[in-house]
Amino acid sequence: MTIAFSTGARRRTATWKDRGAVTGAAAILAFAVTAFAPQVLNDGDTYLHIAAGSRMLGDHAILLRDPFSYTFAGAPWEAHEWLAEIVMALAYKLGGWSGLLVLFAAAAAAAAAVLSDTLGRWLAPKAQAIVTVLAMACMTGSLLARPHLLALPLLAIWTAELVTARSEKRSPSLMLLPVMTIWVNIHASFLLGFALAAGLALEALWEERSLHTLRRWGVFGLGMLGAALINPHFAQGVIFPLTLMAMPALAAIGEWQATPLTLFQPIVPVVAATIYVLATRRVRIAPVRAGLLLALAALAFLHARHQIVFAVAAPLLLAQPLARALGERREAASRRPAALALIGVLALCALRLSLPVTRGDSPVTPASALADVPARLRTLPVLNDYAFGGYLIFSGVKPFIDSRAELYGEAALENYAALGRPDVLRATLRRYAIRWSILSPSSPVVAELDATPGWRRLHADRYAVVQFRDGGAP
């Protein structure tokens, strides 16, 4: 009897350690990949967010008008991601590019840890590890130094509490509400938190059919709305994502385009494998939850930017139904592996900070091209590539356009897309008195300017071509 009890205790202890070890390994892996993968800094918006945060730190005020472009200078523009931008600017100020990478690596590690640990509540360590790795694979395409990555651990915490509350047949803890307040000031993806809460509340009402359930979830819903309204823009800050997504011109922006199935995307085999497991294991999923999963999958395939959302939320929604089908039991976690994981993350943090990050020319960083532009010419109106807008702002140059679609609006975005037409290009050059350009070599505007009297090249490399008007009529 004593032997059996001791063996069982050892087995349970091993299980706890295994669950904690998987969680710790996930955090370390996520931190290492994000801190040292070159592509994390391959987005022009990173420059824009640092510049915006630095401006707000200097002004001691949140931006309400555009201080950066010359085409919309002074126009109303609300920095909806102000909190993320200030944090990014502080990280950059304190640690340069390495400090910024540490910030985003910490966010990725936190999201991976919450995801893995919550999965371990229902899945055995082996299944926990497999699902965690597959989920993290789907995140790789969106590992960029932008506010959405800082919001990722908030999405994980939010969804984890929602599914835990449903498994325990209660409403979510009101202690979760501050997460929504932080989230709404970091990134527009907070609306997904609304959708997940509404869906799981409907699931609770459908299954429990009681006024008590309606009252409990109703109180949480009102608290959630109140928490979201705590932002500098009040109601406008809550409806902003809906306004942005209604813009047809977003379809021309890469991250808002459909997931390209012609290229390898981890989400494709992951979704196929998930469907196979659900079918062969006869996993029973409540209709409302199944609808949420289908909506997340549709968003991931319709807009590449939503793959990372699917990677975090879908496994958490599936964890308990999958565990029921597999006959697995929830286990507690051990603190020891978590402590070891923290040591590992801190060691990687020290390594990252000790290694300098050298930023060279890239598709979003025309450093050599801009360096060849005389200081006086930089102060004159420029026609720039959409991808270069963030770098120009970061470098103190007022751009023609950048990635703030909500500022420029439908007409300006459509005009930019039509610049390959000679008549549109000539009218734009005249309207804004443009004196120079910095564009990708693949842009059709480069050839048009080469053929335009009075324009000639100043610089050309594989990433950018600089042309300027030397006095002739455009």
Side-chain angles (χ1 to χ4, degrees):
M1 189 72 171
T2 303
I3 296 176
F5 178 80
S6 299
T7 303
R10 285 196 299 270
R11 186 180 298 115
R12 285 193 297 273
T13 301
T15 303
W16 298 343
K17 288 182 178 179
D18 288 345
R19 175 187 164 191
V22 172
T23 298
I28 291 174
L29 178 61
F31 189 97
V33 170
T34 309
F36 295 97
Q39 71 266 23
V40 175
L41 295 177
N42 286 351
D43 194 293
D45 282 3
T46 303
Y47 292 114
L48 168 62
H49 292 305
I50 294 174
S54 298
R55 184 65 175 258
M56 287 185 279
L57 286 172
D59 294 347
H60 301 287
I62 296 172
L63 292 174
L64 298 177
R65 293 188 176 275
D66 173 38
F68 297 126
S69 77
Y70 71 86
T71 45
F72 282 77
W77 174 67
E78 298 176 349
H80 289 274
E81 298 169 331
W82 68 273
L83 182 55
E85 290 168 340
I86 287 176
V87 172
M88 289 176 65
L90 285 172
Y92 179 76
K93 182 178 180 180
L94 294 173
W97 294 113
S98 291
L100 193 73
L101 286 171
V102 166
L103 170 66
F104 283 92
V114 173
L115 171 64
S116 182
D117 184 67
T118 307
L119 291 174
R121 293 172 180 262
W122 292 286
L123 301 177
K126 183 178 179 180
Q128 174 195 2
I130 292 173
V131 175
T132 300
V133 169
L134 292 177
M136 291 173 65
C138 294
M139 298 179 194
T140 53
S142 297
L143 288 180
L144 300 168
R146 289 173 49 183
H148 74 274
L149 193 52
L150 296 182
L152 200 63
L154 303 179
L155 171 63
I157 293 169
W158 185 266
T159 312
E161 170 58 15
L162 291 179
V163 297
T164 302
R166 282 294 302 121
S167 72
E168 297 173 354
K169 298 191 181 303
R170 58 173 175 83
S171 61
S173 170
L174 296 181
M175 297 296 292
L176 185 64
L177 296 180
V179 171
M180 178 54 68
T181 299
I182 298 171
W183 197 352
V184 75
N185 290 290
I186 283 183
H187 192 254
S189 58
F190 72 89
L191 271 189
L192 291 166
F194 274 45
L196 290 168
L200 291 176
L202 182 59
E203 178 184 277
L205 292 171
W206 178 263
E207 293 182 359
E208 299 173 20
R209 300 175 187 266
S210 73
L211 289 176
H212 182 59
T213 299
L214 176 61
R215 183 168 58 253
R216 286 183 300 149
W217 280 87
V219 169
F220 179 78
L222 290 174
M224 176 178 65
L225 178 59
L229 289 172
I230 303 175
N231 71 83
H233 319 298
F234 197 56
Q236 178 60 33
V238 175
I239 65 174
F240 165 72
L242 299 175
T243 305
L244 179 63
M245 290 187 291
M247 295 180 60
L250 289 181
I253 301 174
E255 63 181 328
W256 285 97
Q257 294 175 356
T259 296
L261 300 181
T262 53
L263 302 175
F264 176 74
Q265 299 282 336
I267 193 171
V268 176
V270 167
V271 169
T274 301
I275 294 173
Y276 173 79
V277 171
L278 296 180
T280 56
R281 295 288 184 170
R282 298 183 179 181
V283 180
R284 298 180 62 183
I285 307 173
V288 175
R289 192 169 301 205
L292 286 174
L293 288 165
L294 288 173
L296 288 170
L299 280 175
F301 282 99
L302 287 173
H303 307 298
R305 63 181 281 135
H306 288 122
Q307 288 186 26
I308 198 166
V309 173
F310 174 86
V312 172
L316 294 174
L317 291 170
L318 277 172
Q320 188 179 22
L322 183 60
R324 287 173 179 166
L326 297 176
E328 298 187 351
R329 297 191 308 171
R330 173 174 172 172
E331 296 287 354
S334 171
R335 295 180 181 178
R336 185 176 179 183
L340 293 175
L342 179 59
I343 293 173
V345 166
L346 291 175
L348 288 171
C349 177
L351 179 61
R352 174 66 280 171
L353 291 173
S354 68
L355 298 175
V357 176
T358 303
R359 301 297 307 273
D361 291 332
S362 77
V364 299
T365 309
S368 297
L370 187 60
D372 276 354
V373 178
R376 193 183 75 82
L377 189 58
R378 292 191 192 191
T379 64
L380 301 177
V382 61
L383 177 62
N384 64 279
D385 196 276
Y386 182 90
F388 296 163
Y391 181 72
L392 292 182
I393 291 172
F394 182 80
S395 303
V397 177
K398 294 184 178 294
F400 174 83
I401 196 170
D402 56 75
S403 62
R404 294 172 294 165
E406 73 278 11
L407 166 67
Y408 293 96
E410 198 70 29
L413 292 173
E414 288 179 352
N415 181 79
Y416 177 79
L419 285 178
R421 290 168 40 191
D423 59 327
V424 175
L425 176 61
R426 286 194 296 270
T428 301
L429 294 176
R430 285 194 299 268
R431 177 182 177 184
Y432 294 103
I434 293 172
R435 298 298 304 271
W436 64 291
S437 66
I438 181 167
L439 299 161
S440 167
S442 62
S443 171
V445 177
V446 172
E448 289 293 336
L449 289 178
D450 279 339
T452 301
W455 282 80
R456 57 193 178 95
R457 293 193 177 195
L458 176 65
H459 175 98
D461 59 40
R462 60 181 293 196
Y463 296 111
V465 174
V466 176
Q467 296 157 288
F468 71 102
R469 176 186 167 195
D470 62 2

mmCIF file of all heavy atoms in Angstrom, residues 197-239:
data_model
loop_
_atom_site.group_PDB
_atom_site.id
_atom_site.type_symbol
_atom_site.label_atom_id
_atom_site.label_comp_id
_atom_site.label_asym_id
_atom_site.label_seq_id
_atom_site.Cartn_x
_atom_site.Cartn_y
_atom_site.Cartn_z
ATOM 1 N N ALA A 197 -15.481 37.064 -25.518
ATOM 2 C CA ALA A 197 -16.315 37.111 -24.317
ATOM 3 C C ALA A 197 -17.785 36.952 -24.670
ATOM 4 O O ALA A 197 -18.523 36.222 -23.993
ATOM 5 C CB ALA A 197 -16.088 38.428 -23.579
ATOM 6 N N ALA A 198 -18.227 37.614 -25.738
ATOM 7 C CA ALA A 198 -19.629 37.503 -26.146
ATOM 8 C C ALA A 198 -19.960 36.080 -26.570
ATOM 9 O O ALA A 198 -21.023 35.537 -26.219
ATOM 10 C CB ALA A 198 -19.910 38.486 -27.283
ATOM 11 N N GLY A 199 -19.065 35.457 -27.316
ATOM 12 C CA GLY A 199 -19.309 34.088 -27.765
ATOM 13 C C GLY A 199 -19.397 33.096 -26.625
ATOM 14 O O GLY A 199 -20.312 32.258 -26.579
ATOM 15 N N LEU A 200 -18.473 33.180 -25.681
ATOM 16 C CA LEU A 200 -18.485 32.233 -24.568
ATOM 17 C C LEU A 200 -19.615 32.542 -23.581
ATOM 18 O O LEU A 200 -20.132 31.632 -22.918
ATOM 19 C CB LEU A 200 -17.132 32.239 -23.867
ATOM 20 C CG LEU A 200 -16.006 31.641 -24.726
ATOM 21 C CD1 LEU A 200 -14.668 31.757 -24.016
ATOM 22 C CD2 LEU A 200 -16.289 30.197 -25.073
ATOM 23 N N ALA A 201 -20.031 33.804 -23.493
ATOM 24 C CA ALA A 201 -21.212 34.132 -22.690
ATOM 25 C C ALA A 201 -22.452 33.498 -23.305
ATOM 26 O O ALA A 201 -23.308 32.934 -22.595
ATOM 27 C CB ALA A 201 -21.383 35.646 -22.598
ATOM 28 N N LEU A 202 -22.556 33.564 -24.634
ATOM 29 C CA LEU A 202 -23.685 32.933 -25.318
ATOM 30 C C LEU A 202 -23.661 31.423 -25.125
ATOM 31 O O LEU A 202 -24.709 30.793 -24.926
ATOM 32 C CB LEU A 202 -23.628 33.286 -26.815
ATOM 33 C CG LEU A 202 -24.773 32.747 -27.682
ATOM 34 C CD1 LEU A 202 -26.117 33.266 -27.176
ATOM 35 C CD2 LEU A 202 -24.555 33.146 -29.140
ATOM 36 N N GLU A 203 -22.463 30.843 -25.152
ATOM 37 C CA GLU A 203 -22.337 29.399 -24.909
ATOM 38 C C GLU A 203 -22.826 29.053 -23.502
ATOM 39 O O GLU A 203 -23.547 28.056 -23.307
ATOM 40 C CB GLU A 203 -20.883 28.976 -25.079
ATOM 41 C CG GLU A 203 -20.623 27.503 -24.815
ATOM 42 C CD GLU A 203 -19.152 27.151 -24.902
ATOM 43 O OE1 GLU A 203 -18.686 26.938 -26.031
ATOM 44 O OE2 GLU A 203 -18.476 27.121 -23.856
ATOM 45 N N ALA A 204 -22.451 29.873 -22.517
ATOM 46 C CA ALA A 204 -22.878 29.628 -21.139
ATOM 47 C C ALA A 204 -24.395 29.721 -21.010
ATOM 48 O O ALA A 204 -25.034 28.886 -20.351
ATOM 49 C CB ALA A 204 -22.199 30.625 -20.200
ATOM 50 N N LEU A 205 -24.989 30.734 -21.633
ATOM 51 C CA LEU A 205 -26.443 30.891 -21.569
ATOM 52 C C LEU A 205 -27.155 29.733 -22.256
ATOM 53 O O LEU A 205 -28.195 29.253 -21.787
ATOM 54 C CB LEU A 205 -26.855 32.220 -22.216
ATOM 55 C CG LEU A 205 -26.421 33.490 -21.480
ATOM 56 C CD1 LEU A 205 -26.702 34.726 -22.322
ATOM 57 C CD2 LEU A 205 -27.149 33.589 -20.143
ATOM 58 N N TRP A 206 -26.612 29.273 -23.370
ATOM 59 C CA TRP A 206 -27.223 28.173 -24.121
ATOM 60 C C TRP A 206 -27.200 26.877 -23.311
ATOM 61 O O TRP A 206 -28.178 26.121 -23.309
ATOM 62 C CB TRP A 206 -26.482 27.986 -25.443
ATOM 63 C CG TRP A 206 -26.997 26.846 -26.268
ATOM 64 C CD1 TRP A 206 -26.506 25.574 -26.341
ATOM 65 C CD2 TRP A 206 -28.120 26.883 -27.146
ATOM 66 N NE1 TRP A 206 -27.241 24.812 -27.199
ATOM 67 C CE2 TRP A 206 -28.253 25.588 -27.722
ATOM 68 C CE3 TRP A 206 -29.029 27.876 -27.522
ATOM 69 C CZ2 TRP A 206 -29.244 25.264 -28.642
ATOM 70 C CZ3 TRP A 206 -30.019 27.555 -28.440
ATOM 71 C CH2 TRP A 206 -30.128 26.266 -28.983
ATOM 72 N N GLU A 207 -26.088 26.645 -22.626
ATOM 73 C CA GLU A 207 -25.956 25.383 -21.894
ATOM 74 C C GLU A 207 -26.621 25.423 -20.515
ATOM 75 O O GLU A 207 -27.201 24.429 -20.079
ATOM 76 C CB GLU A 207 -24.469 25.022 -21.740
ATOM 77 C CG GLU A 207 -23.792 24.679 -23.065
ATOM 78 C CD GLU A 207 -22.345 24.271 -22.878
ATOM 79 O OE1 GLU A 207 -21.871 24.279 -21.712
ATOM 80 O OE2 GLU A 207 -21.682 23.960 -23.881
ATOM 81 N N GLU A 208 -26.555 26.559 -19.837
ATOM 82 C CA GLU A 208 -27.060 26.627 -18.462
ATOM 83 C C GLU A 208 -28.492 27.153 -18.374
ATOM 84 O O GLU A 208 -29.221 26.812 -17.441
ATOM 85 C CB GLU A 208 -26.106 27.488 -17.618
ATOM 86 C CG GLU A 208 -24.693 26.905 -17.559
ATOM 87 C CD GLU A 208 -23.706 27.829 -16.862
ATOM 88 O OE1 GLU A 208 -24.154 28.710 -16.108
ATOM 89 O OE2 GLU A 208 -22.483 27.662 -17.085
ATOM 90 N N ARG A 209 -28.866 28.023 -19.298
ATOM 91 C CA ARG A 209 -30.247 28.520 -19.402
ATOM 92 C C ARG A 209 -30.790 28.995 -18.052
ATOM 93 O O ARG A 209 -31.815 28.499 -17.573
ATOM 94 C CB ARG A 209 -31.169 27.447 -19.985
ATOM 95 C CG ARG A 209 -30.770 26.979 -21.373
ATOM 96 C CD ARG A 209 -31.637 25.842 -21.853
ATOM 97 N NE ARG A 209 -31.140 25.301 -23.095
ATOM 98 C CZ ARG A 209 -31.544 25.665 -24.311
ATOM 99 N NH1 ARG A 209 -32.467 26.604 -24.420
ATOM 100 N NH2 ARG A 209 -31.036 25.112 -25.391
ATOM 101 N N SER A 210 -30.098 29.921 -17.429
ATOM 102 C CA SER A 210 -30.552 30.435 -16.129
ATOM 103 C C SER A 210 -30.334 31.935 -16.053
ATOM 104 O O SER A 210 -29.421 32.489 -16.674
ATOM 105 C CB SER A 210 -29.796 29.745 -14.988
ATOM 106 O OG SER A 210 -28.462 30.203 -14.909
ATOM 107 N N LEU A 211 -31.198 32.593 -15.284
ATOM 108 C CA LEU A 211 -31.068 34.027 -15.078
ATOM 109 C C LEU A 211 -29.801 34.365 -14.309
ATOM 110 O O LEU A 211 -29.205 35.433 -14.496
ATOM 111 C CB LEU A 211 -32.292 34.554 -14.328
ATOM 112 C CG LEU A 211 -33.604 34.601 -15.124
ATOM 113 C CD1 LEU A 211 -34.746 35.047 -14.212
ATOM 114 C CD2 LEU A 211 -33.476 35.532 -16.320
ATOM 115 N N HIS A 212 -29.391 33.456 -13.451
ATOM 116 C CA HIS A 212 -28.159 33.661 -12.692
ATOM 117 C C HIS A 212 -26.968 33.767 -13.633
ATOM 118 O O HIS A 212 -26.106 34.649 -13.473
ATOM 119 C CB HIS A 212 -27.967 32.510 -11.707
ATOM 120 C CG HIS A 212 -26.740 32.659 -10.848
ATOM 121 N ND1 HIS A 212 -26.536 33.737 -10.014
ATOM 122 C CD2 HIS A 212 -25.628 31.860 -10.721
ATOM 123 C CE1 HIS A 212 -25.369 33.603 -9.403
ATOM 124 N NE2 HIS A 212 -24.807 32.483 -9.819
ATOM 125 N N THR A 213 -26.924 32.897 -14.636
ATOM 126 C CA THR A 213 -25.843 32.935 -15.625
ATOM 127 C C THR A 213 -25.891 34.234 -16.423
ATOM 128 O O THR A 213 -24.855 34.870 -16.660
ATOM 129 C CB THR A 213 -25.952 31.734 -16.579
ATOM 130 O OG1 THR A 213 -25.839 30.531 -15.832
ATOM 131 C CG2 THR A 213 -24.847 31.773 -17.632
ATOM 132 N N LEU A 214 -27.107 34.623 -16.815
ATOM 133 C CA LEU A 214 -27.262 35.868 -17.565
ATOM 134 C C LEU A 214 -26.773 37.058 -16.733
ATOM 135 O O LEU A 214 -26.070 37.939 -17.246
ATOM 136 C CB LEU A 214 -28.730 36.056 -17.941
ATOM 137 C CG LEU A 214 -29.081 37.374 -18.658
ATOM 138 C CD1 LEU A 214 -28.328 37.487 -19.974
ATOM 139 C CD2 LEU A 214 -30.586 37.468 -18.877
ATOM 140 N N ARG A 215 -27.112 37.083 -15.458
ATOM 141 C CA ARG A 215 -26.721 38.187 -14.596
ATOM 142 C C ARG A 215 -25.204 38.231 -14.415
ATOM 143 O O ARG A 215 -24.588 39.300 -14.503
ATOM 144 C CB ARG A 215 -27.420 38.057 -13.246
ATOM 145 C CG ARG A 215 -27.135 39.223 -12.293
ATOM 146 C CD ARG A 215 -28.054 39.220 -11.082
ATOM 147 N NE ARG A 215 -27.958 37.974 -10.328
ATOM 148 C CZ ARG A 215 -28.889 37.023 -10.305
ATOM 149 N NH1 ARG A 215 -30.007 37.179 -11.013
ATOM 150 N NH2 ARG A 215 -28.735 35.920 -9.593
ATOM 151 N N ARG A 216 -24.600 37.080 -14.172
ATOM 152 C CA ARG A 216 -23.148 37.052 -13.929
ATOM 153 C C ARG A 216 -22.370 37.498 -15.161
ATOM 154 O O ARG A 216 -21.449 38.327 -15.061
ATOM 155 C CB ARG A 216 -22.722 35.645 -13.514
ATOM 156 C CG ARG A 216 -23.117 35.257 -12.093
ATOM 157 C CD ARG A 216 -22.579 33.879 -11.763
ATOM 158 N NE ARG A 216 -23.105 32.875 -12.681
ATOM 159 C CZ ARG A 216 -22.455 31.780 -13.064
ATOM 160 N NH1 ARG A 216 -21.231 31.560 -12.630
ATOM 161 N NH2 ARG A 216 -23.002 30.917 -13.883
ATOM 162 N N TRP A 217 -22.705 36.950 -16.326
ATOM 163 C CA TRP A 217 -22.000 37.320 -17.542
ATOM 164 C C TRP A 217 -22.357 38.742 -17.966
ATOM 165 O O TRP A 217 -21.545 39.445 -18.566
ATOM 166 C CB TRP A 217 -22.294 36.329 -18.656
ATOM 167 C CG TRP A 217 -21.475 35.071 -18.549
ATOM 168 C CD1 TRP A 217 -21.788 33.958 -17.839
ATOM 169 C CD2 TRP A 217 -20.201 34.823 -19.148
ATOM 170 N NE1 TRP A 217 -20.784 33.017 -17.961
ATOM 171 C CE2 TRP A 217 -19.806 33.521 -18.762
ATOM 172 C CE3 TRP A 217 -19.356 35.558 -19.981
ATOM 173 C CZ2 TRP A 217 -18.607 32.949 -19.171
ATOM 174 C CZ3 TRP A 217 -18.162 34.984 -20.401
ATOM 175 C CH2 TRP A 217 -17.794 33.695 -19.994
ATOM 176 N N GLY A 218 -23.594 39.170 -17.658
ATOM 177 C CA GLY A 218 -23.975 40.540 -17.968
ATOM 178 C C GLY A 218 -23.157 41.548 -17.184
ATOM 179 O O GLY A 218 -22.736 42.581 -17.722
ATOM 180 N N VAL A 219 -22.929 41.264 -15.908
ATOM 181 C CA VAL A 219 -22.090 42.142 -15.086
ATOM 182 C C VAL A 219 -20.678 42.213 -15.659
ATOM 183 O O VAL A 219 -20.080 43.299 -15.762
ATOM 184 C CB VAL A 219 -22.062 41.648 -13.623
ATOM 185 C CG1 VAL A 219 -20.979 42.388 -12.827
ATOM 186 C CG2 VAL A 219 -23.427 41.841 -12.966
ATOM 187 N N PHE A 220 -20.144 41.065 -16.061
ATOM 188 C CA PHE A 220 -18.800 41.064 -16.641
ATOM 189 C C PHE A 220 -18.785 41.857 -17.950
ATOM 190 O O PHE A 220 -17.852 42.619 -18.216
ATOM 191 C CB PHE A 220 -18.315 39.636 -16.898
ATOM 192 C CG PHE A 220 -16.947 39.577 -17.523
ATOM 193 C CD1 PHE A 220 -15.810 39.772 -16.765
ATOM 194 C CD2 PHE A 220 -16.807 39.357 -18.891
ATOM 195 C CE1 PHE A 220 -14.546 39.748 -17.348
ATOM 196 C CE2 PHE A 220 -15.555 39.326 -19.479
ATOM 197 C CZ PHE A 220 -14.423 39.524 -18.710
ATOM 198 N N GLY A 221 -19.831 41.681 -18.775
ATOM 199 C CA GLY A 221 -19.891 42.399 -20.042
ATOM 200 C C GLY A 221 -19.922 43.907 -19.856
ATOM 201 O O GLY A 221 -19.231 44.655 -20.565
ATOM 202 N N LEU A 222 -20.714 44.379 -18.894
ATOM 203 C CA LEU A 222 -20.753 45.815 -18.619
ATOM 204 C C LEU A 222 -19.412 46.305 -18.091
ATOM 205 O O LEU A 222 -18.947 47.391 -18.459
ATOM 206 C CB LEU A 222 -21.859 46.109 -17.606
ATOM 207 C CG LEU A 222 -23.301 45.945 -18.108
ATOM 208 C CD1 LEU A 222 -24.288 46.134 -16.961
ATOM 209 C CD2 LEU A 222 -23.594 46.932 -19.233
ATOM 210 N N GLY A 223 -18.787 45.498 -17.246
ATOM 211 C CA GLY A 223 -17.465 45.860 -16.745
ATOM 212 C C GLY A 223 -16.447 45.918 -17.866
ATOM 213 O O GLY A 223 -15.570 46.800 -17.888
ATOM 214 N N MET A 224 -16.545 44.979 -18.816
ATOM 215 C CA MET A 224 -15.640 44.946 -19.966
ATOM 216 C C MET A 224 -15.782 46.219 -20.801
ATOM 217 O O MET A 224 -14.784 46.826 -21.201
ATOM 218 C CB MET A 224 -15.935 43.707 -20.809
ATOM 219 C CG MET A 224 -15.151 43.579 -22.090
ATOM 220 S SD MET A 224 -15.545 42.045 -22.970
ATOM 221 C CE MET A 224 -17.271 42.342 -23.391
ATOM 222 N N LEU A 225 -17.023 46.620 -21.066
ATOM 223 C CA LEU A 225 -17.244 47.849 -21.833
ATOM 224 C C LEU A 225 -16.703 49.060 -21.081
ATOM 225 O O LEU A 225 -16.042 49.926 -21.669
ATOM 226 C CB LEU A 225 -18.735 48.020 -22.121
ATOM 227 C CG LEU A 225 -19.128 49.294 -22.882
ATOM 228 C CD1 LEU A 225 -18.426 49.348 -24.228
ATOM 229 C CD2 LEU A 225 -20.643 49.361 -23.060
ATOM 230 N N GLY A 226 -16.980 49.122 -19.777
ATOM 231 C CA GLY A 226 -16.467 50.236 -18.985
ATOM 232 C C GLY A 226 -14.958 50.275 -18.977
ATOM 233 O O GLY A 226 -14.350 51.359 -19.075
ATOM 234 N N ALA A 227 -14.316 49.116 -18.898
ATOM 235 C CA ALA A 227 -12.856 49.062 -18.902
ATOM 236 C C ALA A 227 -12.294 49.536 -20.239
ATOM 237 O O ALA A 227 -11.255 50.203 -20.283
ATOM 238 C CB ALA A 227 -12.391 47.637 -18.607
ATOM 239 N N ALA A 228 -12.986 49.211 -21.336
ATOM 240 C CA ALA A 228 -12.515 49.618 -22.662
ATOM 241 C C ALA A 228 -12.657 51.117 -22.882
ATOM 242 O O ALA A 228 -11.893 51.725 -23.628
ATOM 243 C CB ALA A 228 -13.279 48.857 -23.743
ATOM 244 N N LEU A 229 -13.640 51.719 -22.231
ATOM 245 C CA LEU A 229 -13.850 53.161 -22.393
ATOM 246 C C LEU A 229 -12.797 53.998 -21.672
ATOM 247 O O LEU A 229 -12.739 55.217 -21.866
ATOM 248 C CB LEU A 229 -15.243 53.539 -21.890
ATOM 249 C CG LEU A 229 -16.417 53.066 -22.756
ATOM 250 C CD1 LEU A 229 -17.733 53.326 -22.057
ATOM 251 C CD2 LEU A 229 -16.390 53.729 -24.130
ATOM 252 N N ILE A 230 -11.962 53.344 -20.865
ATOM 253 C CA ILE A 230 -10.885 54.075 -20.181
ATOM 254 C C ILE A 230 -9.709 54.221 -21.148
ATOM 255 O O ILE A 230 -8.742 53.459 -21.140
ATOM 256 C CB ILE A 230 -10.458 53.352 -18.892
ATOM 257 C CG1 ILE A 230 -11.658 53.160 -17.964
ATOM 258 C CG2 ILE A 230 -9.373 54.147 -18.163
ATOM 259 C CD1 ILE A 230 -11.347 52.349 -16.720
ATOM 260 N N ASN A 231 -9.856 55.151 -22.062
ATOM 261 C CA ASN A 231 -8.814 55.472 -23.029
ATOM 262 C C ASN A 231 -8.945 56.945 -23.383
ATOM 263 O O ASN A 231 -9.993 57.553 -23.158
ATOM 264 C CB ASN A 231 -8.934 54.569 -24.268
ATOM 265 C CG ASN A 231 -10.141 54.915 -25.119
ATOM 266 O OD1 ASN A 231 -10.098 55.828 -25.945
ATOM 267 N ND2 ASN A 231 -11.242 54.191 -24.926
ATOM 268 N N PRO A 232 -7.913 57.570 -23.922
ATOM 269 C CA PRO A 232 -7.963 59.021 -24.162
ATOM 270 C C PRO A 232 -9.047 59.460 -25.130
ATOM 271 O O PRO A 232 -9.407 60.637 -25.166
ATOM 272 C CB PRO A 232 -6.568 59.323 -24.738
ATOM 273 C CG PRO A 232 -5.711 58.200 -24.291
ATOM 274 C CD PRO A 232 -6.600 57.004 -24.244
ATOM 275 N N HIS A 233 -9.562 58.532 -25.932
ATOM 276 C CA HIS A 233 -10.528 58.882 -26.968
ATOM 277 C C HIS A 233 -11.938 58.407 -26.640
ATOM 278 O O HIS A 233 -12.830 58.558 -27.468
ATOM 279 C CB HIS A 233 -10.063 58.302 -28.303
ATOM 280 C CG HIS A 233 -8.595 58.435 -28.544
ATOM 281 N ND1 HIS A 233 -7.969 59.654 -28.632
ATOM 282 C CD2 HIS A 233 -7.613 57.502 -28.670
ATOM 283 C CE1 HIS A 233 -6.665 59.475 -28.821
ATOM 284 N NE2 HIS A 233 -6.424 58.181 -28.836
ATOM 285 N N PHE A 234 -12.119 57.811 -25.466
ATOM 286 C CA PHE A 234 -13.412 57.357 -24.959
ATOM 287 C C PHE A 234 -14.104 56.464 -26.002
ATOM 288 O O PHE A 234 -13.510 55.492 -26.439
ATOM 289 C CB PHE A 234 -14.276 58.547 -24.544
ATOM 290 C CG PHE A 234 -15.418 58.169 -23.647
ATOM 291 C CD1 PHE A 234 -15.196 57.502 -22.455
ATOM 292 C CD2 PHE A 234 -16.718 58.466 -24.012
ATOM 293 C CE1 PHE A 234 -16.260 57.141 -21.631
ATOM 294 C CE2 PHE A 234 -17.785 58.115 -23.204
ATOM 295 C CZ PHE A 234 -17.556 57.453 -22.013
ATOM 296 N N ALA A 235 -15.352 56.779 -26.385
ATOM 297 C CA ALA A 235 -16.108 55.898 -27.282
ATOM 298 C C ALA A 235 -15.432 55.770 -28.641
ATOM 299 O O ALA A 235 -15.443 54.698 -29.258
ATOM 300 C CB ALA A 235 -17.536 56.406 -27.440
ATOM 301 N N GLN A 236 -14.808 56.859 -29.117
ATOM 302 C CA GLN A 236 -14.121 56.806 -30.401
ATOM 303 C C GLN A 236 -12.981 55.796 -30.377
ATOM 304 O O GLN A 236 -12.707 55.132 -31.380
ATOM 305 C CB GLN A 236 -13.581 58.200 -30.762
ATOM 306 C CG GLN A 236 -12.800 58.271 -32.067
ATOM 307 C CD GLN A 236 -13.622 57.856 -33.275
ATOM 308 O OE1 GLN A 236 -14.815 58.090 -33.314
ATOM 309 N NE2 GLN A 236 -12.971 57.239 -34.255
ATOM 310 N N GLY A 237 -12.347 55.648 -29.237
ATOM 311 C CA GLY A 237 -11.282 54.665 -29.121
ATOM 312 C C GLY A 237 -11.785 53.244 -29.220
ATOM 313 O O GLY A 237 -11.054 52.343 -29.651
ATOM 314 N N VAL A 238 -13.050 53.013 -28.860
ATOM 315 C CA VAL A 238 -13.628 51.671 -28.924
ATOM 316 C C VAL A 238 -14.090 51.331 -30.336
ATOM 317 O O VAL A 238 -13.935 50.208 -30.798
ATOM 318 C CB VAL A 238 -14.797 51.541 -27.922
ATOM 319 C CG1 VAL A 238 -15.485 50.186 -28.053
ATOM 320 C CG2 VAL A 238 -14.294 51.733 -26.493
ATOM 321 N N ILE A 239 -14.657 52.319 -31.045
ATOM 322 C CA ILE A 239 -15.183 52.034 -32.385
ATOM 323 C C ILE A 239 -14.130 52.219 -33.475
ATOM 324 O O ILE A 239 -14.367 51.856 -34.630
ATOM 325 C CB ILE A 239 -16.399 52.913 -32.697
ATOM 326 C CG1 ILE A 239 -15.999 54.399 -32.771
ATOM 327 C CG2 ILE A 239 -17.499 52.704 -31.666
ATOM 328 C CD1 ILE A 239 -17.116 55.310 -33.222
#
